[in-house]
């Protein structure tokens, strides 16, 4: 993998003025890192985003087409810096020809597709079917996608104009109540690279390079109390990242307690800095001693996994459809996986990919992924119960027979 690349940038180069549409940190400033994953063939463009400094990478992937041109999978915010980095590739390998909107549900991905497409007016936009929006289900042009060059990905992948070089598999829509979940997996044959959005992740032990461009969120979460000063060290960056990963996956892991309002206000008076950036000294988190063990289980030596929220709230609503899709994807002979979040690229085989979905063979009443602490799923199960009780979510479906593996 080649070195990270960027262009000389100023604040205006990283500006993202449409941030109020999805108001996630870092709001109007989004730095971009480009990494050449496979020489002259595959590049990733990384930014970061989050809530309350729980920041995780978000990634777009660009692949080279023969004899000329580029395909963009899951765009990120088209800041001037990001676009300049894409233009560098266009100068060498030809124009952006195709843009793929790879997800049905993930607004943090969908929101960038229209603005990105407008910067490349020659590109055709291909959209994962069964799109929906909330609270109003609006037509795609009303969501910013160009009317005259936006197309649904055909059910038959051989009909796509890039089918001679890139395969894809549509995850059938999983009914969640408010709307379906779905995504499109793509396989770039020349580089043997699998592109995914949310279905699979790997959790790195060290903080990703993109989130270290501004380490403040890492250092903010490395503290054990509001009275601690924010100190930038490699150990604190690692500690903050690992806690952020637990937040991002479980929302409230079992090793985390939240202080009362009175306790927070009392501690805020002792905070060494009480600026707006520091939330005026308010720091509600209380980590118990077992948090490192929870992270080690989640990290699992960097192995592929399905995120706990997908295990608990989504994929078990249509386990057979998910497994059938996973088997279709595993028929491609890929060597690496690039998901839209967390670690990438991940060296992986089709067999390792399929193994990540083994939890779907357990009955709906069984525990989730058995290598993860069951107590860490408590909040997710409470959310599931609330959604079911209000008729918002669909019940879990029976597990497929293990005989059909």
């Amino acid at each position: 993998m080649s070195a990270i690349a960027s262009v000389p940038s100023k604040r205006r180069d990283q500006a993202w003025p449409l941030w109020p549409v999805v108001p996630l940190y870092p709001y109007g400033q989004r730095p971009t890192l480009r990494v050449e994953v496979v020489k002259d063939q595959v590049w990733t463009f990384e930014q970061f985003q989050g809530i309350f400094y729980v920041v995780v990478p978000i990634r777009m992937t660009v692949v080279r087409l023969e004899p000329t041109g580029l395909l963009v999978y899951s765009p990120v915010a088209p800041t001037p810096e990001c676009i300049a980095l894409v233009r560098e590739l266009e100068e060498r390998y030809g124009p952006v020809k195709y843009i793929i909107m790879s997800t049905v549900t993930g607004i943090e991905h969908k929101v960038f597709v229209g603005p990105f497409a407008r910067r490349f007016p020659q590109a055709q936009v291909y959209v994962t079917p069964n799109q929906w929006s909330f609270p109003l289900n609006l037509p795609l042009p009303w969501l910013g996608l160009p009317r005259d060059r936006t197309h649904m990905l055909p059910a038959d992948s051989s009909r796509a104009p890039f089918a001679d070089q890139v395969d894809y598999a549509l995850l059938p829509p999983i009914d969640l109540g408010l709307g379906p979940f779905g995504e499109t997996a793509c396989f770039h044959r020349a580089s043997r690279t699998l592109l995914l959005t949310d279905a699979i992740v790997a959790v790195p032990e060290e903080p990703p390079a993109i989130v270290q461009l501004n380490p403040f969120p890492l250092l903010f979460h490395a503290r054990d109390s509001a009275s601690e000063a924010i100190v930038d060290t490699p150990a604190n960056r690692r500690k903050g990242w690992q806690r952020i990963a637990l937040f991002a996956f479980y929302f409230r892991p079992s090793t985390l307690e939240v202080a009362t309002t009175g306790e927070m206000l009392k501690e805020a008076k002792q905070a060494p800095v009480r600026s707006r950036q520091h939330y005026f000294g308010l720091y509600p988190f209380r980590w118990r001693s077992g948090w490192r063990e929870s992270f080690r289980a989640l990290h699992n030596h960097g192995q592929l996994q399905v995120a706990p929220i997908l295990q608990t709230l989504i994929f078990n609503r249509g386990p057979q459809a998910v497994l059938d899709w996973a088997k279709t994807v595993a028929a491609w002979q890929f060597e690496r996986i690039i998901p839209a979040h967390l670690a990438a690229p991940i060296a992986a085989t089709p067999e390792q990919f399929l193994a990540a979905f083994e939890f779907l063979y357990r009955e709906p009443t069984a525990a989730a992924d058995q290598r993860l602490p069951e107590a860490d799923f408590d909040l997710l199960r409470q959310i599931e119960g609330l959604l079911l009780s209000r008729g918002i979510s669909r019940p879990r479906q029976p597990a497929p027979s293990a005989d059909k593996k």
Side-chain angles (χ1 to χ4, degrees):
M1 184 169 62
S2 300
I4 292 172
S6 63
V7 295
S9 61
K10 300 178 181 179
R11 284 183 61 84
R12 65 175 178 270
D13 297 323
Q14 299 176 352
W16 173 236
L18 299 181
W19 69 265
V21 177
V22 181
L24 298 174
Y25 180 86
Y27 311 116
Q29 287 289 306
R30 293 219 169 202
T32 304
L33 289 182
R34 186 186 73 203
V35 178
E36 187 175 52
V37 176
V38 180
K39 183 171 176 54
D40 295 325
Q41 292 191 76
V42 182
W43 301 263
T44 57
F45 289 68
E46 296 191 354
Q47 298 175 355
F48 63 85
Q49 62 186 24
I51 297 174
F52 205 78
Y53 296 139
V54 178
V55 293
V56 294
I58 181 169
R59 179 178 298 112
M60 133 181 130
T61 305
V62 177
V63 300
R64 178 186 178 184
L65 302 174
E66 295 291 352
T68 183
L70 303 169
L71 178 147
V72 175
Y73 179 91
S74 193
V76 292
T79 63
E81 178 182 50
C82 176
I83 297 303
L85 289 167
V86 177
R87 298 293 186 205
E88 287 182 356
L89 298 184
E90 286 192 311
E91 289 174 4
R92 294 188 62 185
Y93 307 108
V96 171
K97 288 185 174 180
Y98 308 108
I99 299 169
I100 295 182
M101 187 176 187
S102 61
T103 182
V104 171
T105 312
I107 189 171
E108 77 277 16
H109 301 285
K110 294 163 61 170
V111 71
F112 302 126
V113 177
F116 192 92
R118 287 195 290 275
R119 300 302 301 272
F120 300 92
Q122 79 283 3
Q124 299 298 305
V125 181
Y126 281 85
V127 175
T128 302
N130 304 293
Q131 292 292 324
W132 60 284
S133 59
F134 180 84
L136 295 175
N137 199 7
L138 300 173
L140 291 177
W142 290 26
L143 298 176
L145 275 74
R147 185 185 301 274
D148 59 342
R149 52 192 175 95
T150 296
H151 321 273
M152 288 294 168
L153 284 165
D156 179 359
S157 61
S158 67
R159 294 173 53 202
F162 44 82
D164 61 327
Q165 300 180 58
V166 177
D167 296 310
Y168 66 84
L170 304 171
L171 174 64
I174 301 172
D175 186 5
L176 304 180
L178 281 176
F181 177 93
E183 74 170 76
T184 299
C186 288
F187 175 55
H188 182 234
R189 293 187 212 132
S191 66
R192 304 183 75 171
T193 301
L194 173 63
L195 311 181
L196 297 170
T197 310
D198 297 316
I200 285 288
V201 293
V203 182
E205 186 173 22
E206 298 292 330
I210 184 64
V211 301
Q212 296 206 59
L213 289 184
N214 174 10
F216 183 83
L218 306 175
L219 307 175
F220 182 88
H221 285 288
R223 297 176 299 161
D224 292 316
S225 70
S227 61
E228 284 190 28
I230 288 180
V231 179
D232 190 359
T233 66
N236 279 344
R237 291 190 182 200
R238 184 183 310 113
K239 181 180 179 182
W241 165 250
Q242 294 179 2
R243 288 177 169 181
I244 283 171
L246 290 170
F247 269 122
F249 276 84
Y250 298 117
F251 299 157
R252 192 187 66 207
S254 60
T255 52
L256 176 67
E257 295 178 351
V258 178
T260 65
T261 302
E263 290 170 337
M264 283 192 291
L265 292 173
K266 182 178 179 180
E267 282 196 359
K269 297 177 181 178
Q270 304 170 16
V273 181
R274 286 181 280 176
S275 68
R276 181 179 178 182
Q277 183 186 23
H278 293 73
Y279 287 109
F280 307 103
L282 298 174
Y283 187 76
F285 307 118
R286 304 290 183 272
W287 290 92
R288 293 202 291 269
S289 59
W291 72 266
R292 287 184 172 85
E293 287 71 24
S294 284
F295 176 79
R296 278 195 288 269
L298 183 64
H299 169 57
N300 191 31
H301 307 289
Q303 297 299 306
L304 296 178
Q305 61 180 292
V306 174
I309 187 170
L310 292 181
Q311 292 188 33
T312 307
L313 301 177
I314 297 177
F315 282 174
N316 52 15
R317 269 60 188 172
Q320 187 62 64
V322 174
L323 288 168
D324 290 344
W325 173 78
K327 290 173 184 177
T328 298
V329 172
W332 300 326
Q333 294 304 304
F334 51 84
E335 297 177 351
R336 68 186 61 79
I337 299 175
I338 301 179
H341 297 290
L342 298 176
I346 309 162
T349 65
E351 292 75 22
Q352 291 170 323
F353 172 79
L354 274 180
F357 296 90
E358 289 285 329
F359 72 96
L360 288 171
Y361 289 106
R362 287 193 289 278
E363 289 301 324
T365 55
D369 190 332
Q370 293 177 339
R371 23 164 226 88
L372 300 174
E374 180 65 18
D376 285 339
F377 284 80
D378 284 350
L379 180 59
L380 292 175
R381 298 205 186 286
Q382 290 174 29
I383 294 171
E384 179 186 33
L386 178 64
L387 295 176
L388 287 170
S389 67
R390 297 190 175 182
I392 298 174
S393 178
R394 298 288 186 259
R396 300 183 181 196
Q397 299 300 307
S401 170
D403 296 334
K404 296 182 180 180
K405 289 185 181 181

